[in-house]
Every structure is written in structure tokens, then in C-alpha cells.
Amino acid sequence: MIDLLPEALVYWLQDWLPLLMAGALAALLFSGYPVALVLAFVGLGFAGLGVGLDLISVMEITNITARMYGSVGESLLYPSVPMLIFMGLMMERSGVARELLVCLQVLLRRVPGSLAIAVALLGVILAPSAGLIGASVATIALIALPTMLERGYEPSFAAGAVAGAGTLGIIFPPAIMLFFLADLLGVRMGTMFLAPVVPVAILLALYILYFLARGLLTPKAAPAHDAPAMPWSALLTYTLRSLALPVALIALVLGSIVAGIATPTQSSAVGAAGSVLLTVANRSLSRGMLVEVLERTVTVTAMVFFVVIGASVFSYTFRSIGGDGLIVDLLESTGLGAWWMLSMILAVIFLLGFIIDWIEIALITLPIFYPILDSLDFGDRFETSEQAFAWIAVMIAINLQTSFLTPPFGFALFFLKGAAPPQVDMATIYRGIVPFVLIQVAVLVLVMAFPALALWLPGAVFD
């Protein structure tokens, strides 16, 4: 192949083939084909070009299968993914999530904007089901949005509250995103689980303050609803069954990993078994429902691992043809300092969040950006590289969460529209989401300016 091309063109292709590969991926992502197939196709196609241009050898291509197996088969974290997916789907399908919302409404019945606050808390508690942004937002929309509209909530306010709550859980442990970020950035699972807790708590607190303010200042947007009172004994039993047990299950999964009592796989297995017991306690377990949950678990898990395999093919080829070195050289040639370089990477990830889900973004970009992030010098702010990567991981997570909410292309907004009643149009959703985007950006800036917000809790537990 080389002999058939002009020498100048050969040299140009050898130098810039990684950028052509990235451009081909960007173009084909809009083709409508499954992302996993696009990743694998681009990876294999450019591997062939790399052989023709003498950038890689034929033997290196045969290593792709070993790389695919190493990405999935040898990982100690990925076996936990299907069990966490099962746990979240079981809580959703069994009615546990709906019972949670009703219980929170009863407990918060005298608080302004109580239903919106209950929805935000539901988003955090249902973190295990927040593996994929579409599933999370659609689930909460189907559970809560019709109720909010029936009770007179302003459509834009209700839509914004549901979208904000739906994205809140995707970065709260034991959300699946944290498993991938820990694996890709080399952060211990316990540290990765604890690092987002304080930032998410700040996000939740600001959401609640906004709901309270709207409930007090504009009652028409969030009208009060006095849920029927219950005797104390009945309320205690109901709260224990509908709220305390699901929260205890989440705490058990999180705490066992942080304390080192169980591996991520073991703790997720406990979570999956616990979700079945919750379903039994809720008297909603049936053979049909169990079969449906198992089928959806297999489908979602297959999709996740298919993307992982496709991304492995792409990233292996990209590195083999010199993509890592080219990207590092290009970014270093800008002369930007560590903070501006980090901001640029976050901006790229933010823009990608408009068109593809976080799994593809993490698996494609983080292996490419890892050498650059590892070379950034933030002075004496961090004692170890793990602290720096834990802080960066939290910012990436919040950044993606913000991207999913930002009009006009935010992923969460389209999933919300698909699950919302007909009277909630896109213009209504856009109006309602603006305050939540501003809150997200404010928290992202806070975490960037004060890394201790992400690192204090892991340090307090492990140091």
C-alpha cells in the first residue's frame, strides 16, 4: 500500500492517522448504528490502515482479542455490574421505588415543595438503578411526574425537579459510573465511593433549598398538599418497611466495600439478594416480574459489555498507531497550565455528553486523556496521585451530570420528554431545567476550587 501512495502523503498519514481515526469515530457516531459496533468497526478499520502504513504489525492486531478479554474477563469490578443492574431494576419493577416516594410524601407533608423534595431524595436513594441516564430519568418521570402534575405543580418546575433528581443518583454510590471511573483512573473502590458523597450532599441541599424557596415564594408553582395523617404506630411500621429497609440496603452495599469487609462483587451480590427480599417484603414478587427483571438485566448488561469490548478495540488501535503521544504533544504545544488543561479536558467531556452516554465517554476519552491528566502538576495540593485522580473523577462525574441536563442537547431532557405526559413539551422542560444547571455548575466550580470537598471524607475514613 505504501508503494502506491506519494511519499509526502504517506508521511502525512503516518503523523496524523490518530486524528483521522478520531474524526471518523465522531462522524460515524451520528450514523445511527450502535455505538459498540461503530467503536469496533473504526478500531479494526484503522488497525488495517496502520498495518498498511507500517505503524503497527500484523502480530499487534492479533493482540486485540487478548485486550478484549483483559478488559472484561480479568477485571475484578465488572462482575458486580450485572448484579447492581439487577438490584436497581428489581427495586423499580417491584414497586419499592413507588412506595419510597409515597412514604417520603407522608413524612414531608407539611414542608413547602414537599413532593419535589421527595423526588430529589428518591433520586439519591435509587442510585443503584441509575446505571444509565435514560433508565434513571425515565423511571423517576413515570413514578413521580404524573402525580406532581395532578397536584397542581407548575409543569416546568415539575419537569426540572424530575430531571434533576434523575441525574442526581448517577454519581452517588453505589452507582455503576463510579465502578468504571475507579477502574479507568486507578482509584481504590472505597475512595471512589466516598469521594462524591459530600459534593452530592451539597447538590441535594441546594436542590432542597430551591424547592423550599419556590414552595414559599411561589406557592402556585409548588402547591402544598397535606397527605393523610397516619397513627404513629402505623407510620413507624410503614417508614421501616418502605424507607428504612431500602436505605439500609444501599448503606450495606456501600459500607461493606468502604470497610473492606467485602469486595465490590460480593457486596453487589448482597445488594441483589437484598432487593429480592425487599420485593418479598413488599408482597410484589411474582414469576412474571422476576423473569422480566432478569431479561432486562441480561439486555442492559450485554449492552454495557458490548460497549466495553468495542471501546477496547478502539483504544488499543488508537494507542498502537501513536494516538496517545500525538494528543499529549498537541495539548502540551498549547502552553496551557495544569488548571487550563484540566478545564479543556472537562469541556471536551461536557460536549461529548450531548451526544453519547457516559459509558462510551468514559471508555473512549479517559484512556486517551489519562497520560495528560497524570502529567498535570497542581503543586502541593495532593499528597498522592490517587487523591488527584479521585478529585478529577468527581469533577468528571459532576461535569457529565451537568451535560445531561443542559439544553438544547442534554440527554436527560429527551428521555424525560419520552416518559412525560403530552402536555409537557420540550420548551417547558428547557424552562424548568435552568436553575438545576446553574446549581450543577456552581457545585462543579466549588469542587474544582476546593478539592477537600471530594477528599475530606475518604481521608477521614482511611487515614
Side-chain angles (χ1 to χ4, degrees):
M1 174 179 175
I2 293 179
D3 297 335
L4 300 177
L5 298 175
E7 185 176 352
L9 178 59
V10 171
Y11 287 139
W12 185 86
L13 287 173
Q14 288 175 336
D15 289 338
W16 298 104
L17 190 62
L19 288 188
L20 292 176
M21 184 178 180
L25 175 65
L28 289 174
L29 284 175
F30 291 98
S31 67
Y33 289 101
V35 173
L37 288 177
V38 170
L39 287 168
F41 173 78
V42 173
L44 292 174
F46 276 82
L49 289 176
V51 171
L53 293 169
D54 285 341
L55 291 175
I56 58 177
S57 67
V58 175
M59 287 302 297
E60 286 182 273
I61 292 184
T62 63
N63 291 332
I64 289 178
T65 54
R67 174 61 182 272
M68 291 161 57
Y69 175 77
S71 298
V72 178
E74 296 181 352
S75 173
L76 298 178
L77 294 178
Y78 287 168
S80 60
V81 171
M83 287 178 282
L84 284 176
I85 293 173
F86 175 86
M87 177 182 172
L89 291 174
M90 181 62 76
M91 294 178 68
E92 171 198 341
R93 283 290 180 264
S94 64
V96 171
R98 192 174 298 277
E99 284 291 310
L100 262 172
L101 181 63
V102 174
C103 182
L104 289 169
Q105 288 177 245
V106 172
L107 294 175
L108 299 170
R109 62 185 182 275
R110 301 188 186 281
V111 179
S114 59
L115 189 50
I117 296 173
V119 169
L121 293 172
L122 180 68
V124 173
I125 296 171
L126 290 183
S129 66
L132 302 176
I133 184 66
S136 176
V137 172
T139 296
I140 295 181
L142 291 171
I143 292 173
L145 190 54
T147 303
M148 298 178 79
L149 296 176
E150 287 173 7
R151 295 184 179 175
Y153 273 67
E154 184 180 280
S156 61
F157 177 68
V162 168
T167 59
L168 200 57
I170 66 171
I171 66 172
F172 189 76
I176 299 173
M177 179 189 287
L178 303 181
F179 284 81
F180 282 84
L181 290 177
D183 184 54
L184 293 167
L185 296 177
V187 180
R188 287 177 299 172
M189 202 65 248
T191 301
M192 192 69 258
F193 267 18
L194 292 176
V197 170
V198 172
V200 172
I202 295 173
L203 273 173
L204 179 61
L206 292 176
Y207 279 12
I208 291 175
L209 285 175
Y210 171 67
F211 295 148
L212 288 172
R214 289 297 301 269
L216 290 171
L217 300 177
T218 55
K220 290 184 178 179
H225 177 77
D226 194 6
M230 299 174 63
W232 279 105
S233 58
L235 179 61
L236 182 62
T237 303
Y238 184 60
T239 303
L240 177 64
R241 188 193 71 186
S242 301
L243 178 60
L245 289 179
V247 171
L249 179 62
I250 304 298
L252 180 62
V253 174
L254 171 61
S256 60
I257 295 176
V258 171
I261 299 173
T263 65
T265 302
Q266 292 168 338
S267 64
S268 60
V270 171
S275 66
V276 175
L277 295 178
L278 283 179
T279 304
V280 173
N282 201 44
R283 299 176 182 176
S284 55
L285 183 64
S286 67
R287 183 178 182 277
M289 187 267 289
L290 183 59
V291 169
E292 180 187 359
V293 170
L294 288 172
E295 288 178 346
R296 286 196 60 195
T297 299
V298 171
T299 301
V300 175
T301 302
M303 185 274 295
V304 170
F305 286 136
F306 196 15
V307 172
V308 171
I309 291 171
S312 299
V313 176
F314 178 88
S315 61
Y316 177 83
T317 302
F318 190 82
R319 286 183 173 181
S320 296
I321 63 177
D324 286 5
L326 178 61
I327 296 298
V328 170
D329 291 342
L330 287 175
L331 291 178
E332 287 181 350
S333 67
T334 62
L336 297 175
W339 291 97
W340 282 108
M341 188 73 72
L342 177 62
S343 300
M344 180 189 296
I345 291 173
L346 290 175
V348 171
I349 293 174
F350 179 85
L351 294 175
L352 288 175
F354 286 155
I355 56 174
I356 53 178
D357 209 343
W358 65 263
I359 295 178
E360 292 92 342
I361 294 171
L363 293 171
I364 296 169
T365 63
L366 293 188
I368 296 173
F369 288 143
Y370 183 89
I372 303 166
L373 294 172
D374 194 34
S375 67
L376 297 181
D377 182 12
F378 296 101
D380 58 354
R381 282 177 172 261
F382 309 104
E383 297 178 2
T384 64
S385 61
E386 184 186 52
Q387 288 185 342
F389 275 113
W391 169 64
I392 290 171
V394 171
M395 287 193 293
I396 289 173
I398 298 174
N399 188 38
L400 286 171
Q401 187 185 14
T402 307
S403 174
F404 296 147
L405 289 175
T406 304
F409 303 113
F411 246 6
L413 310 183
F414 295 102
F415 285 113
L416 174 60
K417 178 65 181 74
Q423 66 265 36
V424 180
D425 56 18
M426 287 306 300
T428 300
I429 294 173
Y430 287 163
R431 289 196 303 271
I433 205 62
V434 171
F436 298 92
V437 173
L438 296 177
I439 291 172
Q440 292 279 153
V441 172
V443 173
L444 178 59
V445 172
L446 280 175
V447 174
M448 179 176 281
F450 303 102
L453 293 175
L455 301 178
W456 171 80
L457 188 56
V461 172
F462 294 118
D463 294 345

